[in-house]
Amino acid sequence: MTPSTLHHSAPLGRPSSGGNASPPWRVAVVGGGPAGLMAAETLAAGGAQVDVFDAMPSVGRKFLLAGKGGLNLTHAEPRVAFQRRYGPQAERVAAWLEVLSPEGLRAWAQGLGIATFVGSSGKVFPAEMKAAPLLRAWLSRLRAAGVRFHQRHRWQAQSLAKRTPNQSGWTLSFETPQGPAQHQADALVLALGGGSWARLGSDGAWVAALQQAGVPVTPLAPSNCGFDIGWSAHLTERWAGTPLKNVRLACDGVDGEHFDRLGECVLTATGLEGQLVYAASRLLRERLAHEGQAPLSLDLLPHRSLAELHKALASGQGTRSMANHLKEKAGLSGAPANLLREGLSLDDWNRLSRDPGWLAARIKALPLLARAARPLDEAISSAGGVRLDALDQHLMVRNLPGLFCAGEMLDWDAPTGGYLLTASMASGRVAGEGVLAWCGASSNPAPTV
């Protein structure tokens, strides 16, 4: 079948170094998540003709699902602490945040008519707590600015490998319900997402094609994910799904970085997940990659000191069962109390009743061993992606001029709490401004907020 052509255009040429173009420069944005939409907004504001392509029936699907329980837009903590959340890529991401800061993101939302507030934890939410009103207002603004949307258009990424470095313009091929289609553009922004939540469009299918085209890509890996530990059948059958509240998780990374934080996690059928575990996921994942396992510990009673616990437990168990002894003397019961038995032989378990010092130490630092991260598609986000050293400061691929990348498909990582969304949208703004500068489509790029 002969591919249809979405838009016919004059022959493409190498963009000039400056000045306005007539007709406007044509830019294709592939991927309709937050990064792609922010790039599209920036480009349209700069005078470009923008077409957004997405494989799904509608754009922003992961954005909507992430905001189903309350859209965490960004975080209000001080900038230095905020930037540290990006780990090894903190310096590079900090440059994006200079273009679109957390404060600027709130101002941007306000410009859409969406008021925000800071929660008790410092997380920033829309006043209505929902993602849908913000997305509707955003899409309305984009359409009014002339951005054209093409749903159910799956980009055929393998065509990148056929493009020569000195080739001008881009001929993009798509699979659509109506058959193959093509589109021509002067510049291309890829915002294809990572590899988590494939059912919403982020399936990582682009990785092999970009690698074949000579773009360095770090393999995708699960981030903000749960980890398998391997519980006994008794613990799994009785306590899977139980939250562990007010516990402290500690672990070390391969480079000596130490994690120690109070929070909440969930005991699953295979291990642990939840916000506290997600926050430690980068260190645990890196340790697993280097050593095949990742030690961690849980303080089950962080509000009580080791000495205090030792004294309480040393008062004697008497005729009480261990379960009643722990409940009466330590206030420990249910899933946390049952965790103490995991990995112990019967002799060691019996020793706990005779050695209150050992019992207290185990409560304060229960040793666990993460054996594997949960599968990528279960993760909230993914690490890995297009290596940042393969991109210039405007997020253009160095060996493929005119190709820009943004969002979660880049090789950076962050915990949940608004950090992922902020950096994704900031990278979209950076890529959009980069295209404008490269094309010379506007002498006045979109303003920084």
Side-chain angles (χ1 to χ4, degrees):
M1 182 176 184
T2 302
S4 62
T5 301
L6 296 175
H7 304 291
H8 298 281
S9 54
L12 302 174
R14 172 67 169 86
S16 63
S17 59
N20 291 319
S22 182
W25 292 99
R26 298 149 302 176
V27 184
V29 177
V30 183
L37 296 180
M38 185 57 77
E41 178 176 314
T42 305
L43 288 160
Q49 175 184 302
V50 185
D51 288 89
V52 175
F53 300 88
D54 197 276
M56 305 302 288
S58 58
V59 299
R61 290 200 160 198
K62 187 175 179 181
F63 179 75
L64 287 173
L65 185 59
K68 191 173 182 180
L71 178 65
N72 185 189
L73 189 62
T74 187
H75 203 288
E77 71 182 348
R79 180 68 68 85
V80 172
F82 190 101
Q83 291 172 181
R84 282 201 298 263
R85 302 292 188 178
Y86 299 96
Q89 301 294 358
E91 184 176 351
R92 189 68 186 269
V93 175
W96 308 346
L97 300 178
E98 290 298 318
V99 176
L100 181 62
S101 67
E103 299 79 16
L105 192 55
R106 294 186 69 185
W108 169 84
Q110 185 67 48
L112 288 172
I114 306 296
T116 59
F117 71 94
V118 181
S120 58
S121 65
K123 296 177 180 179
V124 176
F125 300 92
E128 296 184 49
M129 294 293 291
K130 297 177 181 178
L134 188 152
L135 184 60
R136 283 196 298 269
W138 195 4
L139 294 178
S140 178
R141 174 194 278 179
L142 290 171
R143 290 189 175 102
V147 176
R148 299 179 291 198
F149 290 89
H150 310 272
Q151 278 81 50
R152 295 187 173 91
H153 278 64
R154 183 171 294 278
W155 179 51
Q156 302 304 289
Q158 64 272 18
S159 61
L160 269 184
K162 302 175 183 178
R163 190 177 189 274
T164 60
N166 60 352
Q167 183 178 337
S168 298
W170 301 86
T171 299
L172 307 176
S173 298
F174 298 91
E175 285 296 329
T176 79
Q178 291 74 41
Q182 288 188 340
H183 176 81
Q184 289 184 312
D186 299 298
L188 172 60
V189 178
L190 299 181
L192 297 166
S196 64
W197 297 16
R199 68 188 184 280
L200 301 179
S202 298
D203 58 10
W206 51 267
V207 170
L210 264 66
Q211 289 175 325
Q212 188 177 1
V215 180
V217 179
T218 301
L220 299 179
S223 182
N224 292 295
C225 60
F227 290 85
D228 291 338
I229 292 173
W231 305 126
S232 65
H234 168 76
L235 193 72
T236 296
E237 292 166 5
R238 181 76 187 273
W239 300 106
T242 303
L244 303 175
K245 299 183 178 182
N246 296 316
V247 296
R248 182 175 290 276
L249 188 152
C251 65
D252 293 308
V254 292
D255 59 356
E257 183 179 351
H258 183 63
F259 179 93
D260 189 339
R261 190 176 303 173
L262 183 70
E264 180 176 326
C265 57
V266 177
L267 194 157
T268 69
T270 62
L272 294 170
E273 64 177 29
Q275 294 297 326
L276 186 58
V277 178
Y278 301 158
S281 64
R282 177 175 61 84
L283 298 188
L284 293 173
R285 183 184 67 246
E286 291 172 354
R287 195 79 181 264
L288 279 166
H290 280 77
E291 302 172 15
Q293 57 187 21
L296 66 144
S297 68
L298 287 180
D299 182 346
L300 301 174
L301 292 174
H303 59 286
R304 299 187 68 174
S305 69
L306 177 62
E308 179 188 354
L309 268 178
H310 188 179
K311 182 178 179 180
L313 294 168
S315 62
Q317 180 176 341
T319 58
R320 291 187 298 270
S321 66
M322 176 60 80
N324 286 333
H325 182 53
L326 289 169
K327 185 175 182 179
E328 292 183 23
K329 296 299 181 179
L332 201 65
S333 61
N338 279 265
L339 272 173
L340 294 173
R341 176 67 189 267
E342 290 298 294
L344 293 182
S345 66
L346 181 59
D347 287 343
D348 283 341
W349 176 245
N350 290 332
R351 177 188 165 190
L352 288 179
S353 62
R354 303 190 304 270
D355 191 339
W358 188 35
L359 177 56
R362 190 167 176 81
I363 292 171
K364 292 296 293 178
L366 178 68
L368 299 172
L369 201 60
R371 304 180 188 279
R374 293 299 299 162
L376 178 58
D377 198 45
E378 292 182 17
I380 291 176
S381 62
S382 58
V386 176
R387 285 173 43 182
L388 297 186
D389 58 8
L391 309 173
D392 68 12
Q393 63 179 338
H394 304 294
L395 299 182
M396 184 171 74
V397 179
R398 297 183 190 277
N399 62 351
L400 288 172
L403 173 62
F404 295 75
C405 298
E408 199 180 324
M409 71 179 293
L410 302 181
D411 187 9
W412 60 278
D413 192 13
T416 58
Y419 309 104
L420 287 164
L421 188 54
T422 300
S424 287
M425 295 177 77
S427 72
R429 173 68 62 82
V430 170
E433 291 189 354
V435 173
L436 293 174
W438 186 73
C439 285
S442 173
S443 58
N444 297 297
T448 298
V449 294

